[in-house]
Amino acid sequence: MLRPTLRALRRLGGLRTRLVVAFVLIALVSGVTATALAYRESRNAVLERKQDAVQTEFRNRVEQAVADFDVPADEVSLSGFARRIAEGLGDDTLVVARYRTLTAASDRSADRTRITPDLLQRVQNHNGMSLQRVEWRGSPYLAVGTPVTLDATDPGTPEAPSGLEVFAVTSLQAELDATTGVADAVRDGILPVVLLAAVLGLLAAGTVLRPVRELGRATRRHAAGDYTSRVRVRGRDELADLARDFNKAASALEASIDELRAQDERAKRFVADVSHELRTPLAAMTMVATVLDEDASSLPPDTAHAARTVSAETARLARLVDDLMEMSRFDSGAARLNLAGTDLAEAVRATLALRNWTDRVETVLPPGITARIDRRRVDVIVANLVGNALRHGAPPVTVTLSAGPAGDTVTVEVTDRGPGLPPEALDHVFDRFYKADAARTRSEGSGLGTAIALENARLHGGTVEAANRPGGGAVFTLRLPRRPAPEETP
């Protein structure tokens, strides 16, 4: 019984409702239990008192009446005997006397069926007084019966049975009404108790839930980024301890986040400063490397190889610095879009032609698909995706342009027929400096290409996704809105 009740309470809406319902249920159960106990105890006490009084008075009246009664008896003397006993027992009492085959009552019109066969049997079999509660015509009665013994004429001779049996039937309605009145009084008091319990439940719920609500609001503010939020501490109870612990945790979290932000800012500033400082010497190194590369054919073989190596590494370092500068702009929020209506098929063709990839890449570029994009940034995205497919995949590499089903997005899909991406690489392919092949510690790319492509897509309000084709090979999918949201185009 208790377990289903607890489950039902847990299904209720809120903690306040559950507390109030719990208080009301406790008060109701207590009231009903008290009523039942009070009714049972008062009923038993009243009935036992009535039974004792009836038995005592009945015994006395029988002893008095039997002194003037002679046996064998006839119907007239038996009726008189019954009436003499009834005179002292009250007007609502019926007395029935039985002598062998004769039966007489104090009231000739009374129904004698209130004396049950069971009571008759007990009186006949037991030499003592017996009683039984019976219900007759919807009302309760107490039936008492006893056999009558006659004193022996000779001293020392035991009393002999006379064959005379006497019964008295008296109403218990007055006692039942008294005990019902007690039960009604207790029952009528349950409603005020339940209402008081509901009020107390509301007060208790308010006291308990106020700090809980404050903790909830402070937690939501923390989740929204306001780490200065604190909870007021009231009292010295467990909820106050919880509030103090929350404030300590919030202070420690705020300090940690401030430190992390400061470290992040220092790291970003360091990368940006280093990248900026490297641009000038790299420009000079690039010019020197270009001259050396052009004259490498006239140099001795070892010198020519060294010149070409310097030229390639200088170019690689220049690309890395450019990528770091680009990432620092994304991190600092300085990256901006320069939107213009653009024919995407034409933009993709220009990207491939600029890098001499037209003959190496298959294209499916339907005409008439336009969007407002930053053409330079989309060029960077497509170049990174196609370049990765050419370097790490296998031909044919295909670029497919399509419009979304609702016409509000455009999709550029780059696929190859290579081995595809390892399963463990799918979740990290857009991480900075991540390379799927751990053996490629030195490669043409910087490890920032896919990260830069994803940041450029996000700047448009789009995304880039990586997956493996069922038939083999990797597929990178660029999705962009045709018109970026205003807040995404400062």
Side-chain angles (χ1 to χ4, degrees):
M1 178 64 184
L2 181 59
R3 188 172 296 174
T5 302
L6 292 176
R7 284 199 296 266
L9 279 175
R10 284 195 292 268
R11 286 195 293 268
L12 293 176
L15 186 56
R16 177 191 293 272
T17 304
R18 279 181 273 174
L19 282 173
V20 173
V21 171
F23 268 79
V24 170
L25 285 177
I26 292 172
L28 190 60
V29 171
S30 301
V32 171
T33 304
T35 300
L37 291 175
Y39 176 75
R40 188 187 68 180
E41 295 301 323
S42 61
R43 180 176 179 271
N44 290 341
V46 170
L47 291 179
E48 288 176 2
R49 187 166 58 249
K50 175 70 172 181
Q51 289 173 185
D52 293 341
V54 169
Q55 289 183 85
T56 302
E57 186 65 22
F58 180 59
R59 183 181 294 109
N60 292 336
R61 295 302 301 171
V62 170
E63 290 176 354
Q64 293 174 7
V66 78
D68 300 327
F69 184 75
D70 296 324
V71 293
D74 56 19
E75 187 173 351
V76 174
S77 62
L78 197 60
S79 298
F81 177 69
R83 284 194 295 272
R84 284 195 300 274
I85 296 175
E87 287 174 357
L89 297 179
D91 297 336
D92 61 345
T93 302
L94 169 69
V95 176
V96 177
R98 298 178 70 236
Y99 180 74
R100 296 179 180 173
T101 60
L102 298 177
T103 302
S106 59
D107 183 356
R108 291 183 178 275
S109 63
D111 187 345
R112 302 170 193 176
T113 58
R114 284 172 281 181
I115 302 174
T116 64
D118 178 60
L119 182 60
L120 289 172
Q121 187 68 30
R122 279 194 282 170
V123 170
Q124 292 173 359
N125 295 336
H126 300 285
N127 188 22
M129 187 173 293
S130 299
L131 57 87
Q132 185 180 51
R133 295 176 192 168
V134 296
E135 186 170 325
W136 183 67
R137 296 180 180 177
S139 298
Y141 287 86
L142 176 66
V144 183
T146 183
V148 177
T149 56
L150 299 178
D151 294 335
T153 56
D154 296 331
T157 304
E159 295 178 344
S162 63
L164 178 63
E165 298 167 353
V166 186
F167 301 89
V169 181
T170 184
S171 175
L172 295 177
Q173 189 63 50
E175 288 72 23
L176 180 62
D177 292 342
T179 55
T180 302
V182 173
D184 291 341
V186 177
R187 184 188 59 211
D188 293 341
I190 291 178
L191 181 59
V193 170
V194 170
L195 294 177
L196 179 61
V199 173
L200 292 176
L202 287 172
L203 293 176
T207 303
V208 172
L209 295 181
R210 186 182 300 111
V212 174
R213 285 196 297 268
E214 290 183 2
L215 280 171
R217 287 193 292 267
T219 302
R220 287 190 291 272
R221 287 195 292 268
H222 277 222
D226 179 13
Y227 300 105
T228 62
S229 178
R230 299 292 183 272
V231 179
R232 186 185 305 175
V233 179
R234 298 184 180 89
R236 298 180 179 275
D237 55 11
E238 290 81 358
L239 290 173
D241 293 340
L242 179 60
R244 278 189 286 270
D245 292 341
F246 177 85
N247 290 340
K248 291 179 183 178
S251 298
L253 180 62
E254 183 182 12
S256 298
I257 289 176
D258 289 343
E259 178 63 24
L260 288 174
R261 285 173 175 169
Q263 292 178 2
D264 187 54
E265 287 297 325
R266 288 194 296 270
K268 291 176 181 177
R269 188 164 55 250
F270 174 77
V271 172
D273 291 344
V274 168
S275 301
H276 180 74
E277 293 298 324
L278 286 175
R279 291 176 71 88
T280 300
L282 270 177
M285 292 173 61
T286 301
M287 288 187 296
V288 173
T290 302
V291 173
L292 289 175
D293 193 42
E294 291 176 352
D295 296 339
S297 58
S298 61
L299 298 174
D302 291 342
T303 306
H305 177 71
R308 292 190 180 94
T309 301
V310 169
S311 177
E313 291 299 319
T314 301
R316 181 176 178 275
L317 182 59
R319 286 193 298 273
L320 175 60
V321 170
D322 289 339
D323 289 345
L324 288 174
M325 289 291 294
E326 186 72 5
M327 293 303 301
S328 68
R329 281 191 286 270
F330 286 124
D331 292 340
S332 63
R336 295 290 183 268
L337 291 176
N338 183 19
L339 298 176
T342 305
D343 185 316
L344 290 174
E346 178 187 344
V348 171
R349 289 192 189 95
T351 298
L352 300 178
L354 182 63
R355 292 161 179 84
N356 296 319
W357 292 340
T358 303
D359 296 334
R360 302 175 60 190
V361 176
E362 297 179 0
T363 59
V364 180
L365 305 175
I369 299 178
T370 61
R372 284 180 55 80
I373 60 170
D374 186 323
R375 184 160 181 166
R376 181 186 69 83
R377 295 187 181 278
V378 172
D379 174 79
V380 171
I381 299 172
V382 175
N384 271 297
L385 300 184
V386 175
N388 278 338
L390 291 172
R391 284 192 299 272
H392 308 303
V397 173
T398 305
V399 178
T400 305
L401 172 66
S402 62
D408 56 349
T409 61
V410 292
T411 300
V412 178
E413 190 175 84
V414 179
T415 61
D416 65 69
R417 298 299 188 274
L421 294 167
E424 65 274 8
L426 287 174
D427 294 333
H428 304 284
V429 69
F430 296 105
D431 293 350
R432 298 178 185 184
F433 298 107
Y434 179 78
K435 295 180 180 180
D437 186 357
R440 291 189 293 108
T441 55
R442 298 285 296 171
S443 64
E444 185 179 348
S446 64
L448 291 173
T450 54
I452 291 175
L454 180 60
E455 293 294 341
N456 278 313
R458 287 174 174 170
L459 201 62
H460 283 81
T463 185
V464 181
E465 300 170 356
N468 286 320
R469 297 176 65 255
V475 53
F476 285 81
T477 305
L478 166 66
R479 290 187 176 88
L480 297 176
R482 283 196 162 183
R483 300 186 65 85
E487 62 268 19
E488 294 166 352
T489 60

